[in-house]
């Protein structure tokens, strides 16, 4: 039985720091210290934990921000980290943490959460776009610069920006596990099923880099044409398929471009 709740006290925040290091293998230059987790909580962000008894099985950390919306500047959350302990993955814990982020944000009148994710990570794309109903229309080239993350495999830190409009019909459908409204798909961008293996091995890393560079151009061109990532699926061979189409403006109705 997993309990999702806000982390409390220094020990629980320290457990997040440790799980962060265990998950990404960060060195000192990249790891976020306990102080910053504490500040995130104090200044209107979130540090949510998934607890299996006393054990921290996962956490989600977000920072508050301010953005220009049509009605003027408004607060939103930038979800900076989501991690689930390896022993607890693929049981819905990551999704539960995200849905609690949403619930808690809406309870304070915050209607928008965003985060970045690596478009080469098929599982994350599936969770973010398909399960949670986030949308993406921004590609960030080498966003963080060099990273000591084990998951990055030494590749440039390219990211897609996930935009989560918390009370949009699309996200509400995702929460209710109803299919989203059918979108017309104009382009698909493929991530080979073997990408993790290619990234993890020095000898094959070049292949992963080629995919990254090719997909980078495809995303950038599609976004310039006004398309957005509106769906994500896996084909019969386990390849990841980003589905791009026109995103209805209503999904972003309050945002000033
Ligand atoms: C990303 C992460 C937080 C997800 O946590 P989790 O608890 O395993 O996630 P969930 O079980 O809620 O959802 C994962 C979904 O992806 C599916 N999945 C698992 N492996 C997959 C794969 N290789 N390709 C596509 N989907 C996959 C799962 O079946 C599940 O879908 P389902 O609900 O339809 O069964 C976790 O894997 C993790 O900590 N990864 C390392 C850190 C990281 O990448 N953080 C995210 C940064 S955006």
């Amino acid at each position: 039985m997993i309990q999702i709740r806000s982390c409390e006290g220094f020990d629980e925040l320290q457990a997040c720091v440790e799980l962060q290091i265990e998950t990404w293998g960060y060195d000192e230059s990249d790891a976020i210290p306990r102080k910053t987790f504490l500040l995130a909580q104090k200044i209107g962000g979130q540090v949510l934990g998934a607890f299996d008894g006393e054990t921290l099985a996962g956490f989600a950390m977000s920072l508050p921000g301010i953005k220009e919306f049509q009605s003027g500047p408004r607060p939103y959350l930038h979800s900076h980290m989501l991690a689930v302990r390896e022993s607890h993955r693929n049981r819905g814990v990551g999704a539960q943490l995200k849905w609690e982020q949403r619930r808690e944000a809406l309870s304070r009148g915050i209607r928008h959460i965003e985060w970045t994710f690596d478009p080469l990570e098929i599982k994350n794309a599936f969770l973010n776009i398909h399960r949670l109903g986030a949308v993406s229309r921004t590609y960030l080239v080498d966003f963080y610069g060099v990273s000591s993350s084990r998951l990055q495999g030494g590749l440039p830190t390219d990211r897609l920006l996930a935009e989560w409009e918390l009370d949009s019909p699309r996200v509400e459908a995702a929460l209710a596990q109803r299919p989203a409204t059918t979108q017309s798909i104009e382009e698909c961008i493929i991530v080979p099923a073997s990408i993790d293996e290619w990234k993890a091995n020095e000898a094959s890393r070049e292949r992963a880099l080629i995919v990254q560079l090719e997909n980078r151009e495809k995303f950038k061109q599609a976004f310039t044409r006004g398309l957005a990532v509106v769906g994500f699926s896996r084909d019969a061979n386990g390849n990841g398929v980003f589905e791009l189409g026109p995103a209805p403006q209503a999904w972003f109705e309050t945002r000033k471009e």
Side-chain angles (χ1 to χ4, degrees), residues 3 11-12 30 36 45 90 94 117 143-144 154 160 164-165 177 196-197 205 234 256:
Q3 190 197 6
D11 289 351
E12 290 187 0
D30 280 320
T36 309
N90 299 323
F117 69 99
F143 184 56
Y144 294 112
L160 280 174
W164 212 24
E165 303 297 338
Q177 300 194 359
D196 286 343
E197 210 180 297
R205 199 158 288 159
R234 277 174 294 175
K256 208 188 243 178

Side-chain angles (χ1 to χ4, degrees), residues 82 94-95 98 122-133:
L82 171 70
K98 295 302 289 185
I122 294 176
K123 176 181 170 183
N124 294 0
F126 179 81
L127 176 64
N128 295 335
I129 307 295
H130 181 76
R131 275 267 164 269
L132 302 174

Side-chain angles (χ1 to χ4, degrees), residues 117-158:
F117 69 99
D118 185 339
L120 297 182
E121 295 280 342
I122 294 176
K123 176 181 170 183
N124 294 0
F126 179 81
L127 176 64
N128 295 335
I129 307 295
H130 181 76
R131 275 267 164 269
L132 302 174
V135 181
S136 180
R137 52 185 174 156
T138 307
Y139 194 91
L140 304 158
V141 174
D142 200 24
F143 184 56
Y144 294 112
V146 175
S147 168
S148 61
S149 162
R150 189 190 313 120
L151 307 182
Q152 198 62 42
L155 260 55
T157 50
D158 284 20

Side-chain angles (χ1 to χ4, degrees), residues 16-91:
C16 292
V17 174
E18 281 158 22
L19 183 51
Q20 164 201 211
I21 292 169
E22 188 180 313
T23 303
W24 283 278
Y26 284 147
D27 65 20
E28 278 177 9
S29 67
D30 280 320
I32 292 191
R34 193 187 68 186
K35 270 185 198 167
T36 309
F37 280 88
L38 179 73
L39 277 175
Q41 283 186 320
K42 299 285 179 205
I43 62 172
Q46 302 166 326
V47 182
L48 303 177
F51 292 89
D52 182 356
E54 300 278 287
T55 308
L56 183 76
F59 73 91
M61 187 265 231
S62 64
L63 299 162
I66 293 191
K67 241 186 209 310
E68 267 307 313
F69 292 85
Q70 249 152 26
S71 52
R74 288 222 322 260
Y76 76 103
L77 295 176
H78 180 90
S79 176
H80 182 51
M81 286 183 158
L82 171 70
V84 172
R85 201 175 286 286
E86 209 146 351
S87 55
H88 288 72
R89 289 187 189 162
N90 299 323
R91 293 198 234 153

